[in-house]
Amino acid sequence: MEDPSALSCLSRTQQHAVGTLSKQQDVQPILPNAAQIQKATTSLQPSLPDNGIGVEKTTAHVLSDIVPALNGQSLSPNYYGFVIGGVTPAARVAETLVSTYDQNACVHLPDTSIASTVEDQALKLLLELLEFDVNAWPGRTLTTGATAGNIIGLACGREFVVNQALQRERRQSPSDGVDTVGDIGLLAACRAADITDIQVLTTLPHSSLKKASSIVGLGRSCFPRVSKSEDSLGFDLQLLEECLKKPQTVSIVVISCAEVNTGLFATHSYDEVDALRRLCDQYGAWLHVDAAFGLFARVLANSMEFQYVKKGTQGLELADSIAGDGHKLLNVPYDCGFYFSRHAMVANQVFQNPNASYLNVGEPGQHLIPSPLNIGLENSRRFRALPVYATLISYGRAGYRDMLERQIRFARQVACYFAEHADFDLLPEHLHDKAVIDREVYIIVLFRAKDDTLNHNLVNRLNASSKVYVSGTIWQGRPACRIAAANWQIEPERNSSVVKAVTEQALKDWRQELQ
């Protein structure tokens, strides 16, 4: 039993949380002010005390000093930075229990905890939400986010394509007993397979994909151009095939399912993905999808309003692997992502824990659910599956469809506002009228001020209001602002009116400064 004073501190913290959540978040300041950050910074313990200050003083310190200096990125529906979702009420309730019971969901021990069983069921429900055949994706695990999912995807892709080359080489010459990349290492496997290069073939890759490529030993410069000259997001199939044909080279092809700056899709039909699949099969490449937030367009109804956007996710069932985020459009707490694969054993070849008898939970094939530590990055894993499971059963397909429809409608309203405004340019330039906007805009609005001076500090001017928060980015060599709609609380009319009011006030202030 815990000390009564510690339980009292827990109760106090829970009361604070309930009080915070009871406030109308859309009118609360999103950012802490400078004084709050300064107070929090100066209050931090400068060194480790010999004798701790105790739970009661620590609780008071955290609540009074540190918490006021946190931002409202998850709490506020007006936070539009970095494609950050909120936390649904069901997910928040479950998250409280995650900390209380603190399960290490790494080994499937069904007689001792239901944690790994819940994770597998949560992943099945997620596949159903995304309209995938559960049985077609036996390789599935939760991750810390899409970055980890991309690391797993590239690691599995590397394993698959190099092992295929090894098998071809063995048929041409006597085998010396070598097995897989996971067994003998990348350099030895490439030498044995006569491979001199591994390339990642994609269009407008997210920075996390290049980070993943570096981590798995492929490097950040293994990305030759395979995009169309007139459309940097679309694949040029002729260029792609030329790269795939390169001798002594193996490849991983990656589809950018909703590009980070624009929210636009690299493919727009089943046939486009099928063409990529055929080329991958012909040349022994692995087909991965980087789908941090784009994948959720599969939840949308087959209506005229969302038809074009949903087509951006058609055919993804043909991929070998998919990585996505949970803490974006699924609206579960940080950190949560997922990885799906049609090849269950490839991840085991890469991530299995060898010679660890204490992790042996039975004979191979005894359990239908693999131990997560043998198919993913982490040996120590928090029970992030519980919020995923709770939110999926709480809101179901209709609930998540409604959330996404509201987010898209808000984004389109804001996009129309900037497209029609005399002082702003909506980006990319082809989004020039309402008809195109209402067809193509997903959850991201990219724009810039026409005046370079205003544009240079537009992000800071908008965020200084603390009524909205937007991200800055670079588009075609110039600064731009990005609004990403991902919070479950977004209401199109309410949220768009706030964006418009803040923008008009920023313009008014700028003009007054010029006088």
Side-chain angles (χ1 to χ4, degrees), residues 204-277:
L204 289 183
H206 188 268
S207 61
S208 69
L209 192 67
K210 291 194 172 185
K211 178 178 182 176
S213 183
S214 173
I215 290 171
V216 302
L218 309 184
R220 288 184 288 268
S221 59
C222 67
F223 291 76
R225 188 179 77 83
V226 292
S227 62
K228 299 175 181 177
S229 57
E230 74 280 6
D231 175 15
S232 57
L233 190 54
F235 280 96
D236 183 319
L237 295 185
Q238 182 176 345
L239 279 179
L240 179 63
E241 186 167 13
E242 289 174 2
C243 287
L244 290 169
K245 283 180 177 179
K246 287 177 60 178
Q248 297 177 291
T249 300
V250 291
S251 306
I252 302 168
V253 177
V254 181
I255 299 173
S256 296
C257 183
E259 190 271 330
V260 67
N261 280 313
T262 63
L264 302 179
F265 294 80
T267 59
H268 301 91
S269 69
Y270 179 94
D271 289 344
E272 288 185 53
V273 181
D274 184 54
L276 297 176
R277 176 75 269 168

Side-chain angles (χ1 to χ4, degrees), residues 303-363:
S303 64
M304 288 296 295
E305 185 178 9
F306 304 114
Q307 184 181 68
Y308 184 87
V309 169
K310 187 164 185 175
K311 284 182 177 179
T313 63
Q314 286 182 350
L316 297 186
E317 61 270 20
L318 301 176
D320 294 299
S321 60
I322 299 174
D325 267 319
H327 47 238
K328 288 183 169 59
L329 295 186
L330 193 61
N331 277 256
V332 294
Y334 272 84
D335 47 19
C336 183
F338 52 87
Y339 173 79
F340 298 135
S341 176
R342 294 193 294 115
H343 310 276
M345 290 309 298
V346 176
N348 188 262
Q349 290 172 355
V350 177
F351 298 107
Q352 63 177 303
N353 283 254
N355 304 320
S357 58
Y358 68 97
L359 297 177
N360 185 11
V361 296
E363 295 299 320

Side-chain angles (χ1 to χ4, degrees), residues 146-156 208 211-213 215-216 351 377:
T147 300
N150 281 332
I151 294 171
I152 297 174
L154 292 193
C156 289
S208 69
K211 178 178 182 176
S213 183
I215 290 171
V216 302
F351 298 107
L377 294 171

Side-chain angles (χ1 to χ4, degrees), residues 22-274:
S22 299
K23 298 176 182 177
Q24 188 176 346
Q25 290 300 324
D26 62 298
V27 297
Q28 300 299 316
I30 295 176
L31 300 179
N33 58 46
Q36 289 169 320
I37 293 178
Q38 179 63 27
K39 179 185 177 185
T41 302
T42 57
S43 74
L44 297 175
Q45 289 287 323
S47 59
L48 180 68
D50 289 331
N51 297 311
I53 64 174
V55 179
E56 292 183 11
K57 289 184 178 180
T58 299
T59 302
H61 164 54
V62 170
L63 291 178
S64 64
D65 298 327
I66 295 178
V67 167
L70 302 177
N71 66 40
Q73 63 181 33
S74 175
L75 293 169
S76 175
N78 298 318
Y79 187 96
Y80 308 116
F82 310 105
V83 199
I84 290 178
V87 179
T88 66
R92 195 183 305 281
V93 169
E95 181 69 13
T96 302
L97 297 173
V98 170
S99 297
T100 300
Y101 287 91
D102 195 27
Q103 304 289 284
N104 182 10
C106 66
V107 179
H108 182 55
L109 295 169
D111 296 331
T112 68
S113 174
I114 198 172
S116 55
T117 305
V118 170
E119 176 165 341
D120 190 63
Q121 187 60 25
L123 287 162
K124 289 178 180 177
L125 295 176
L126 183 55
L127 282 165
E128 288 185 27
L129 175 71
L130 299 170
E131 298 186 345
F132 288 119
D133 179 357
V134 172
N135 295 322
W137 299 87
R140 48 185 182 255
T141 190
L142 290 178
T143 67
T144 57
T147 300
N150 281 332
I151 294 171
I152 297 174
L154 292 193
C156 289
R158 178 200 65 188
E159 184 83 8
F160 180 84
V161 298
V162 175
N163 288 349
Q164 275 197 323
L166 271 173
Q167 292 168 11
R168 290 193 297 268
E169 195 71 15
R170 288 170 185 164
R171 287 196 293 267
Q172 297 172 6
S173 59
S175 172
D176 58 2
V178 297
D179 196 358
T180 66
V181 176
D183 292 320
I184 65 173
L186 182 60
L187 291 179
C190 286
R191 283 196 297 266
D194 193 30
I195 293 171
T196 60
D197 192 19
I198 304 175
Q199 56 189 356
V200 180
L201 306 175
T202 189
T203 60
L204 289 183
H206 188 268
S207 61
S208 69
L209 192 67
K210 291 194 172 185
K211 178 178 182 176
S213 183
S214 173
I215 290 171
V216 302
L218 309 184
R220 288 184 288 268
S221 59
C222 67
F223 291 76
R225 188 179 77 83
V226 292
S227 62
K228 299 175 181 177
S229 57
E230 74 280 6
D231 175 15
S232 57
L233 190 54
F235 280 96
D236 183 319
L237 295 185
Q238 182 176 345
L239 279 179
L240 179 63
E241 186 167 13
E242 289 174 2
C243 287
L244 290 169
K245 283 180 177 179
K246 287 177 60 178
Q248 297 177 291
T249 300
V250 291
S251 306
I252 302 168
V253 177
V254 181
I255 299 173
S256 296
C257 183
E259 190 271 330
V260 67
N261 280 313
T262 63
L264 302 179
F265 294 80
T267 59
H268 301 91
S269 69
Y270 179 94
D271 289 344
E272 288 185 53
V273 181
D274 184 54

